[in-house]
Amino acid sequence: MKICDIHTHVLPCVDDGAASMEQALQMLRNAVASNVQYLILTPHCNRPDQQTAPHLQAVYESFCRKAEAIPVRLALGAEVHVTPELPELLRRGAFPTLNGSRYLLTEFPFRWQAADFLPMLEKICSLGYTPVIAHPERYTALMEAPQLVYDWLELGCHVQLTAGSVVGKYGSKVQKCARFLLKNGLACCVASDAHGVESRNNNLLEVESYLSLYYSHRCAQALLWDNPMRIFQNETF
Ligand SMILES: [Fe+2]
């Protein structure tokens, strides 16, 4: 199955992902081994150790030159951490969206209170962005009350599951939340959130098999290819 991976920490030496150029190139080769054809580089942004957008763009351009021989189409994005200051920073266009689209990969603090999500999502949407909420199955509030997600989707947000959560690598509570989202058709895509070549890696074959076996081939295709490609190409859905 062709795969489009919209959440990866492959760009080298800009966050806690790839720690060297060689490791980054190996991560790309590993992605290709899972038949990843499109991959968005999404370094952490808006954390204390954040990189600036111009710096990321420069690292991205140099990385693309080094990766030319690897058959995968690359694009730049960011995983933008939510803080109270985020709306003001977004107003200034401080962070890359996913391949320059309207879609902003948005990561909330894992222990945020349930009531705080919706006002922040409303602010982000009002600025013209469409949040793609990164791995909500790992947020305490959603694990405790997964029906919260309906309000987020009502706003037009999308939800990205992490492959490791789906197959149980983050524990049973996270997996149960991921199952709720999958069973009710609430997730738009599954991505690797790869950070290296060991435990959190670019291998998506396991989750592809899992989705095909426990849900359907059509479901796997929607989550790993059709919907992430809509994001990559800035289509509405
Ligand atoms: Fe991430």
Side-chain angles (χ1 to χ4, degrees), residues 124-223:
I124 298 171
C125 291
S126 74
L127 294 166
Y129 296 91
T130 299
V132 175
I133 302 165
H135 42 61
E137 74 281 3
R138 296 176 60 199
Y139 304 163
T140 307
L142 203 70
M143 281 188 261
E144 288 170 355
Q147 69 278 7
L148 279 174
V149 79
Y150 285 101
D151 288 340
W152 308 349
L153 299 183
E154 186 86 0
L155 272 182
C157 303
H158 289 297
V159 156
Q160 170 255 308
L161 299 178
T162 289
S165 306
V166 174
V167 301
K169 289 184 179 159
Y170 293 92
S172 59
K173 282 186 182 168
V174 172
Q175 189 180 32
K176 189 175 165 204
C177 187
R179 277 189 188 149
F180 173 88
L181 297 169
L182 287 168
K183 189 178 68 186
N184 294 292
L186 306 173
C188 92
C189 61
V190 171
S192 71
D193 193 7
H195 279 68
V197 293
E198 303 295 336
S199 59
R200 298 169 80 187
N201 58 42
N202 293 78
N203 181 359
L204 288 165
L205 294 177
E206 185 182 5
V207 80
E208 180 194 328
S209 303
Y210 184 97
L211 292 168
S212 297
L213 181 66
Y214 291 104
Y215 297 88
S216 66
H217 179 79
R218 181 180 285 196
C219 167
Q221 167 130 354
L223 294 169

Side-chain angles (χ1 to χ4, degrees), residues 102-134:
R102 77 198 71 190
Y103 296 105
L104 185 78
L105 186 62
T106 309
E107 180 200 43
F108 282 87
F110 287 105
R111 296 191 173 278
W112 251 38
Q113 299 296 311
D116 296 339
F117 284 84
L118 200 57
M120 177 56 77
L121 289 168
E122 283 169 345
K123 281 184 197 160
I124 298 171
C125 291
S126 74
L127 294 166
Y129 296 91
T130 299
V132 175
I133 302 165

